[in-house]
Amino acid sequence: MHRALLMVAAFCAVAHSTVAFTVIPALSLPALSNQRAISPTLREFRLALGGDEGSNTVTMSRRKVMQNGVAAIGGIAIGMSSSADAEELASGNYKLVDIFRECKDLGVVRFLSVNPYGAVLEALGKLDYALVPFEIPMGKSKGQYVRIAGPNAEEHLVANFECSINLDNAATLAFDKLNGPTGELYSMRIMNADGEKILSILLNYDIDGNDGKPGKYYPGAVDKWLSLRSTYADINGDVDLRA
């Protein structure tokens, strides 16, 4: 019997593409209120898996942990995805997931996240990737998540793009049209209940289809974005994800 809990390494991958903006305007992106997650203690793991609270000895095997559907990534306990989780997403309980499923025709999009401690992460991906549910059952990061997972890279058994979103924190999806230096920009911004931005997803220029120049989007992408806004958003372009 192993005496340590299973720890799963977190993989980070950057979407590989030659398609990119050549000019990105300075967007107004206030800092996110992102707090350090509390790592679960061994005692919390034992209790979560039905262990004895009074025992100071961990006698849980790796197989036992996996059978109970619990793992840890970066020190955070997570519940492994199951058919029940998939049904939760498929049942229409999360409007954001329903909208994502209608975004398959947007082509390559740009994911933009701002860390309040001084980092901005940008990656190119698609919204026709697989939607994989999982849950973090404890700590400040707890909630039902959906992972947007691209195909595995041929040389490694890891997706070449992954982005995970806490659906329980997502309160508003804002469809915003902005004026950029090379034309209009089309953004979908996921915000929490306090109006702080969790993630921005922007239509990306079709550089390859425009002789290497910005300003032109993938065929049908803008029309689809406008259709989604008309279907789901209010007059201000906001979608109440909790309605």
Side-chain angles (χ1 to χ4, degrees), residues 26-242:
L27 302 179
S28 176
L29 296 171
L32 306 176
S33 66
N34 185 18
Q35 298 180 349
R36 183 184 301 274
I38 297 178
S39 301
T41 64
L42 296 181
R43 173 180 171 275
E44 289 172 326
F45 267 119
R46 288 199 302 271
L47 293 177
L49 300 182
D52 183 5
E53 181 177 6
S55 174
N56 292 322
T57 303
V58 179
T59 58
M60 195 178 304
S61 69
R62 172 175 174 170
R63 180 179 298 274
K64 175 67 174 178
V65 173
M66 291 300 292
Q67 287 175 344
N68 282 274
V70 175
I73 293 180
I76 302 174
I78 67 172
M80 307 299 284
S81 60
S82 65
S83 58
D85 292 326
E87 181 63 29
E88 179 76 7
L89 296 187
S91 66
N93 290 337
Y94 291 99
K95 188 181 294 185
L96 182 59
V97 175
D98 294 337
I99 295 174
F100 279 165
R101 290 195 173 103
E102 296 191 40
C103 291
K104 296 181 178 181
D105 300 326
L106 296 181
V108 175
V109 293
R110 180 174 294 271
F111 291 77
L112 177 63
S113 179
V114 179
N115 182 290
Y117 304 107
V120 177
L121 176 63
E122 299 183 47
L124 300 180
K126 294 182 177 181
L127 288 170
D128 63 354
Y129 290 158
L131 301 178
V132 182
F134 68 94
E135 181 183 13
I136 296 180
M138 61 182 73
K140 290 186 177 181
S141 298
K142 69 180 180 179
Q144 176 66 52
Y145 284 73
V146 62
R147 178 185 297 114
I148 304 170
N152 287 348
E154 294 182 0
E155 64 275 19
H156 302 294
L157 295 178
V158 60
N160 57 19
F161 175 89
E162 286 190 359
C163 176
S164 298
I165 302 168
N166 188 335
L167 296 171
D168 292 330
N169 281 354
T172 303
L173 178 66
F175 285 82
D176 295 326
K177 186 164 64 172
L178 310 170
N179 293 320
T182 57
E184 292 181 324
L185 302 176
Y186 299 86
S187 171
M188 296 183 293
R189 299 180 179 181
I190 304 170
M191 297 182 290
N192 66 15
D194 296 324
E196 299 164 319
K197 295 179 181 66
I198 298 173
L199 178 72
S200 294
I201 303 174
L202 298 92
L203 298 187
N204 200 69
Y205 289 138
D206 181 10
I207 301 295
D208 290 343
N210 196 35
D211 296 326
K213 297 178 293 184
K216 179 181 178 181
Y217 291 101
Y218 290 89
V222 173
D223 289 340
K224 184 64 177 182
W225 186 94
L226 293 172
S227 175
L228 289 169
R229 173 172 174 157
S230 175
T231 300
Y232 289 99
D234 61 19
I235 192 172
N236 297 315
D238 295 341
V239 181
D240 185 356
L241 299 176
R242 298 184 173 181

